[in-house]
């Protein structure tokens, strides 16, 4: 349940929150551009609405039949990666902008490997460099990654090639030391359900690329994203990377219907990872084309200068020349489907782009979306960076997670 308090004073807000706490209802404060929301994280579904509507300062009460309200209307439609250097172009993902391609090795294997590949993927048209330093391998006997040293090599490579860098963290302890060396935190499929990790990433001020768990439903993915959003980090990118099915000709089954469905349910950008989905290099190109045709905001693809020599996931690694052909195709497909594309620019024009995006023109305060059930969603127009989240006092003191 969410209470909208309009522009209530700090005193009124605190009184509402104390009132809720006295009833055992934990809550989180979300400060948007024009209103303050109190998100009740405890189960309040069976309590009558008048208890809340009669509280001094409460303008509107919204019951959520939807468990992922923030991703739908509060999240930024366009996620911006910090440029590798002041001379690099801004990388923006989502909001109908042309698709982006992120590429790099499954694992960072050494300085030379990542530097050479960074230049190659940049030349192929990729806008960011990926590479695993903390590898969540299925077998404990496989290469586990170079850790922080690997991240340092990749940051150096990214700086040289002018590419922001994306890498996975698998534990809360890795976040702080890794942060100076990466531009996007990746949460891997195996960690999508690691809610404490998600919450901590929600407290960071860097974009998070959240991959769908291999057996996760779409709703579970969206609800996992909510853990990051609720902590105040609205820069979340979702990623479909294939799910486990009975099919064994491919490593996983690429669920492209998830792209269309997720886009109907949230404003967050969606990437597709064809590499982990199919696991075989000959199928990366057709699946990449299909992903862009069905509306993905971009791709994350594993590549290597000598694919067969990759220390991990060699079977799915593609050469930079194949990557270049894929990127060319994705641009052709996007252009064919979007004759007047949204132009990815900067400064004032970017602001205009954002206001023309899917989240644009939304009314202030809370409203029921046109295609939703009663009180199903939140509608709030926000400006970039105009949201802050305050921790609920009782929750942090007690250390108890919300329901
Ligand atoms: C990866 O991207 O390196 C990775 C391990 O992918 P996933 O978490 O999707 O298996
Ligand atoms: Mn891999």
């Amino acid at each position: 349940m969410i209470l909208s308090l309009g522009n209530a004073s700090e005193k009124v807000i605190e009184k509402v929150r104390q009132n809720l706490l006295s009833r055992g209802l934990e809550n989180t404060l979300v400060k948007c551009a024009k209103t303050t929301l109190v998100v009740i994280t405890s189960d309040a579904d069976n309590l009558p609405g008048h208890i809340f509507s009669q509280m001094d300062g409460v303008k509107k009460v919204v019951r959520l039949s939807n468990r992922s309200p923030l991703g739908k209307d509060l999240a930024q439609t366009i996620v911006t990666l910090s440029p590798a250097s002041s001379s690099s172009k801004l990388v923006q993902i989502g909001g109908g902008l042309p698709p982006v391609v992120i590429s790099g090795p499954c694992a960072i294997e050494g300085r030379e490997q990542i530097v050479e590949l960074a230049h190659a993927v940049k030349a192929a048209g990729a806008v960011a460099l990926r590479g695993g330093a903390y590898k969540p391998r299925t077998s404990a006997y496989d290469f586990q990654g170079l850790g922080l040293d690997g991240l340092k090599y990749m940051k150096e490579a990214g700086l040289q090639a002018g590419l922001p860098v994306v890498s996975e963290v698998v534990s809360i302890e890795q976040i702080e030391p890794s942060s100076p060396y990466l531009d996007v935190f990746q949460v891997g499929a195996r960690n999508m359900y690691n809610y404490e990790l998600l919450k901590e990433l929600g407290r960071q001020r860097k974009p998070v690329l959240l991959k769908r768990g291999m057996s996760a439903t779409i709703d579970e993915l969206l609800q996992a994203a909510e853990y990051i959003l609720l902590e105040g980090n609205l820069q979340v990118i979702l990623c479909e990377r294939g799910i486990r099915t009975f099919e064994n000709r491919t490593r996983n089954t690429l669920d492209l219907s998830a792209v269309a469905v997720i886009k109907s349910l949230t404003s967050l950008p969606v990437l597709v990872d064809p590499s982990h989905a199919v696991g075989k290099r000959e199928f990366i190109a057709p699946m990449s084309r299909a992903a862009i045709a069905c509306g993905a905001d971009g791709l994350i693809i594993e590549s290597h200068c000598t694919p067969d020599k990759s220390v991990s996931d060699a079977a799915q690694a593609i050469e930079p020349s194949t990557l270049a052909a894929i990127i060319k195709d994705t641009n052709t497909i996007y252009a064919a489907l979007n004759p007047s594309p949204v132009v990815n620019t900067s400064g004032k024009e970017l602001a205009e782009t954002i206001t023309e995006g899917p989240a644009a023109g939304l009314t202030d305060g809370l409203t029921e979306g046109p295609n939703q059930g009663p009180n199903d969603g939140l509608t709030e127009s926000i400006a970039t960076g105009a949201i802050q989240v305050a921790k609920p006092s009782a929750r942090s003191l007690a250390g108890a997670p919300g329901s």
Side-chain angles (χ1 to χ4, degrees):
M1 188 176 293
I2 297 185
L3 311 180
S4 171
L5 305 193
N7 59 359
S9 67
E10 291 301 322
K11 209 168 145 198
V12 170
I13 295 168
E14 197 43 41
K15 217 168 146 201
V16 169
R17 298 188 73 197
Q18 285 307 328
N19 190 338
L20 293 170
L21 286 175
S22 70
R23 296 167 189 270
L25 297 173
E26 290 177 358
N27 57 84
T28 293
L29 198 63
V30 181
K31 286 204 167 188
C32 305
K34 292 183 188 158
T35 191
T36 296
L37 308 176
V38 176
V39 182
I40 302 175
T41 50
S42 303
D43 184 4
D45 290 352
N46 295 325
L47 296 173
H50 68 82
I51 292 182
F52 306 101
S53 56
Q54 285 171 3
M55 286 181 189
D56 197 20
V58 173
K59 298 264 186 290
K60 185 154 183 159
V61 179
V62 180
R63 277 186 196 277
L64 301 169
S65 54
N66 173 358
R67 303 299 292 163
S68 44
L70 300 178
K72 179 146 185 72
D73 289 321
L74 283 179
Q76 285 162 267
T77 12
I78 298 177
V79 171
T80 303
L81 312 196
S82 57
S85 68
S86 53
S87 59
S88 316
K89 251 173 64 184
L90 269 188
V91 176
Q92 294 175 309
I93 308 176
L97 292 170
V100 298
V101 177
I102 300 169
S103 190
C106 177
I108 304 157
E109 298 166 14
R111 180 187 270 122
E112 222 173 272
Q113 170 240 19
I114 193 71
V115 168
E116 186 186 3
L117 188 57
H119 289 290
V121 301
K122 165 88 177 190
V127 298
L129 179 65
R130 64 144 285 149
Y134 300 104
K135 293 304 301 174
R137 304 304 300 281
T138 302
S139 167
Y141 301 101
D142 285 341
F143 176 60
Q144 302 288 309
L146 295 180
L148 204 54
D149 284 343
L151 283 182
K152 290 178 185 171
Y153 299 148
M154 184 160 72
K155 186 70 189 164
E156 185 187 328
L159 284 173
Q160 280 192 30
L163 297 173
V165 295
V166 182
S167 197
E168 176 169 358
V169 283
V170 296
S171 72
I172 292 176
E173 295 70 41
Q174 290 164 358
I175 296 174
E176 204 190 321
S178 303
S179 193
Y181 306 106
L182 48 79
D183 301 298
V184 178
F185 290 107
Q186 179 174 316
V187 177
R190 291 159 188 79
N191 264 315
M192 190 208 83
Y193 293 110
N194 185 341
Y195 300 126
E196 294 307 316
L197 179 65
L198 300 182
K199 282 191 235 171
E200 193 52 44
L201 290 171
R203 295 173 200 127
Q204 308 302 310
R205 290 295 167 264
K206 284 188 180 176
V208 177
L209 171 56
L210 175 63
K211 294 184 114 184
R212 181 182 183 181
M214 52 191 86
S215 309
T217 63
I218 291 170
D219 283 327
E220 286 169 341
L221 172 63
L222 298 181
Q223 292 187 58
E226 242 19 57
Y227 277 93
I228 304 168
L229 300 167
L230 192 52
E231 296 295 331
N233 187 351
L234 300 184
Q235 301 235 78
V236 177
I237 305 162
L238 302 175
C239 180
E240 160 58 36
R241 47 77 72 204
I243 50 173
R244 257 195 191 159
T245 67
F246 51 81
E247 183 51 67
N248 56 15
R249 284 277 178 184
T250 49
R251 181 173 177 176
N252 290 287
T253 296
L254 180 57
D255 180 11
L256 283 183
S257 57
V259 176
V261 174
I262 291 169
K263 286 197 151 275
S264 75
L265 297 171
T266 172
S267 28
L268 299 169
V270 183
L271 297 186
V272 165
D273 171 353
S275 308
H276 293 88
V278 298
K280 292 181 182 171
R281 68 176 67 117
E282 63 266 41
F283 304 125
I284 307 295
M287 291 303 97
S288 297
R289 294 193 290 263
I292 299 306
C294 75
D297 296 297
L299 303 164
I300 178 162
I301 301 178
E302 287 189 349
S303 56
H304 201 282
C305 288
T306 45
D308 286 332
K309 293 196 180 141
S310 303
V311 296
S312 62
D313 286 350
Q316 67 200 37
I318 59 168
E319 286 179 10
S321 57
T322 313
L323 180 72
I326 290 172
I327 294 175
K328 194 160 165 271
D329 283 351
T330 60
N331 291 337
T332 306
I333 293 165
Y334 176 81
L337 295 175
N338 300 273
S340 334
V342 179
V343 180
N344 183 353
T345 52
S346 59
K348 185 170 166 286
E349 288 159 74
L350 167 64
E352 285 163 8
T353 304
I354 290 174
T355 55
E356 283 163 11
L362 299 175
T363 54
D364 184 34
L366 303 172
T367 59
E368 291 165 17
N371 299 321
Q372 301 160 7
N375 298 329
D376 191 27
L378 286 172
T379 306
E380 174 87 17
S381 104
I382 58 159
T384 305
I387 183 166
Q388 302 161 1
V389 177
K391 293 303 299 163
S393 43
R395 195 180 178 201
S396 39
L397 284 175
S403 62

Coordinates of all heavy atoms in Angstrom, one line a residue, residues 106 130 135-136 168 186 188-190 211 214 241 251 273 276 302, ligand 1:
C106 N 33.5 -13.3 -21.5 CA 32.8 -13.8 -20.3 C 33.7 -13.5 -19.1 O 33.1 -12.9 -18.2 CB 32.8 -15.4 -20.5 SG 32.0 -16.1 -19.1
R130 N 31.9 -5.3 -21.4 CA 31.6 -6.2 -20.3 C 32.7 -7.1 -20.0 O 33.6 -7.3 -20.9 CB 30.3 -7.0 -20.6 CG 30.4 -8.0 -21.7 CD 29.6 -9.3 -21.4 NE 30.3 -10.1 -20.5 CZ 29.7 -11.0 -19.7 NH1 28.4 -11.1 -19.6 NH2 30.4 -11.7 -18.8
K135 N 33.5 -14.5 -11.1 CA 32.7 -15.4 -11.9 C 31.9 -16.4 -11.1 O 32.5 -17.2 -10.3 CB 33.6 -16.2 -12.9 CG 34.3 -15.4 -13.9 CD 33.4 -14.5 -14.8 CE 32.3 -15.3 -15.5 NZ 31.3 -14.4 -16.2
P136 N 30.6 -16.3 -11.2 CA 29.8 -17.3 -10.5 C 29.7 -18.6 -11.3 O 28.8 -18.8 -12.0 CB 28.4 -16.6 -10.4 CG 28.3 -15.8 -11.6 CD 29.8 -15.5 -12.0
E168 N 30.0 -8.0 -13.0 CA 29.1 -8.6 -12.0 C 29.8 -8.5 -10.6 O 31.0 -8.8 -10.4 CB 28.8 -10.0 -12.4 CG 28.0 -10.8 -11.3 CD 27.5 -12.1 -11.8 OE1 27.7 -12.5 -13.0 OE2 26.8 -12.8 -11.0
Q186 N 26.5 -5.4 -12.4 CA 25.7 -6.5 -13.0 C 25.3 -7.5 -11.9 O 26.1 -7.8 -11.0 CB 26.5 -7.3 -14.1 CG 25.7 -8.4 -14.7 CD 26.4 -9.0 -15.9 OE1 27.0 -8.3 -16.7 NE2 26.4 -10.4 -15.9
G188 N 24.0 -11.2 -11.6 CA 23.8 -12.4 -12.5 C 22.6 -13.2 -12.2 O 21.9 -13.0 -11.2
A189 N 22.3 -14.0 -13.1 CA 21.1 -14.9 -13.0 C 21.0 -15.6 -11.7 O 20.0 -15.7 -11.0 CB 21.0 -15.9 -14.1
R190 N 22.2 -16.1 -11.2 CA 22.2 -16.8 -9.9 C 21.9 -16.0 -8.7 O 21.7 -16.5 -7.6 CB 23.5 -17.6 -9.8 CG 23.7 -18.7 -10.8 CD 25.2 -19.0 -11.0 NE 25.4 -19.9 -12.2 CZ 25.4 -19.6 -13.4 NH1 25.2 -18.3 -13.8 NH2 25.6 -20.4 -14.4
K211 N 19.9 -9.3 -14.2 CA 19.6 -10.5 -15.1 C 18.5 -11.3 -14.5 O 18.4 -11.5 -13.3 CB 20.8 -11.3 -15.4 CG 21.9 -10.5 -16.2 CD 23.1 -11.3 -16.5 CE 23.1 -11.5 -18.0 NZ 24.2 -12.4 -18.4
M214 N 17.5 -18.0 -13.9 CA 17.3 -19.0 -15.0 C 15.9 -19.8 -14.8 O 15.4 -20.3 -15.8 CB 18.4 -20.0 -15.1 CG 18.9 -20.7 -13.8 SD 20.4 -21.5 -14.1 CE 21.6 -20.2 -13.8
R241 N 18.0 -13.4 -20.3 CA 19.2 -14.2 -20.6 C 19.0 -15.7 -20.8 O 19.9 -16.5 -20.8 CB 20.4 -14.0 -19.6 CG 19.9 -14.1 -18.2 CD 19.8 -15.5 -17.7 NE 21.0 -16.2 -17.5 CZ 21.2 -17.5 -17.5 NH1 20.1 -18.3 -17.7 NH2 22.3 -18.0 -17.4
R251 N 21.7 -23.8 -24.7 CA 22.1 -23.8 -23.3 C 20.8 -23.5 -22.4 O 20.6 -24.1 -21.4 CB 23.2 -22.8 -23.1 CG 23.7 -22.7 -21.7 CD 24.9 -21.7 -21.7 NE 25.3 -21.6 -20.3 CZ 26.4 -20.9 -19.9 NH1 27.1 -20.2 -20.8 NH2 26.7 -20.8 -18.6
D273 N 20.5 -10.9 -23.6 CA 21.8 -11.6 -23.6 C 21.6 -12.9 -24.4 O 21.2 -13.9 -23.9 CB 22.2 -11.9 -22.2 CG 23.5 -12.8 -22.1 OD1 23.9 -13.3 -23.2 OD2 24.0 -12.9 -21.0
H276 N 24.3 -16.2 -23.3 CA 24.0 -17.2 -22.2 C 22.6 -17.9 -22.6 O 22.4 -19.0 -22.1 CB 23.9 -16.6 -20.8 CG 25.3 -16.1 -20.4 ND1 25.8 -14.9 -20.7 CD2 26.3 -16.8 -19.8 CE1 27.0 -14.8 -20.2 NE2 27.4 -15.9 -19.7
E302 N 28.8 -11.8 -25.4 CA 30.1 -12.2 -25.1 C 31.0 -12.3 -26.4 O 30.5 -12.9 -27.4 CB 30.1 -13.5 -24.3 CG 29.6 -13.3 -22.9 CD 29.8 -14.5 -22.0 OE1 30.1 -15.6 -22.4 OE2 29.6 -14.3 -20.8
Ligands
LIG1 C1 27.6 -13.4 -17.2 O1 27.0 -12.5 -17.8 O2 28.8 -13.4 -17.2 C2 26.9 -14.5 -16.6 C3 27.4 -15.3 -15.7 O3 25.6 -14.6 -17.0 P1 24.3 -15.2 -16.2 O4 24.3 -14.6 -14.8 O5 23.2 -14.7 -17.1 O6 24.5 -16.7 -16.2

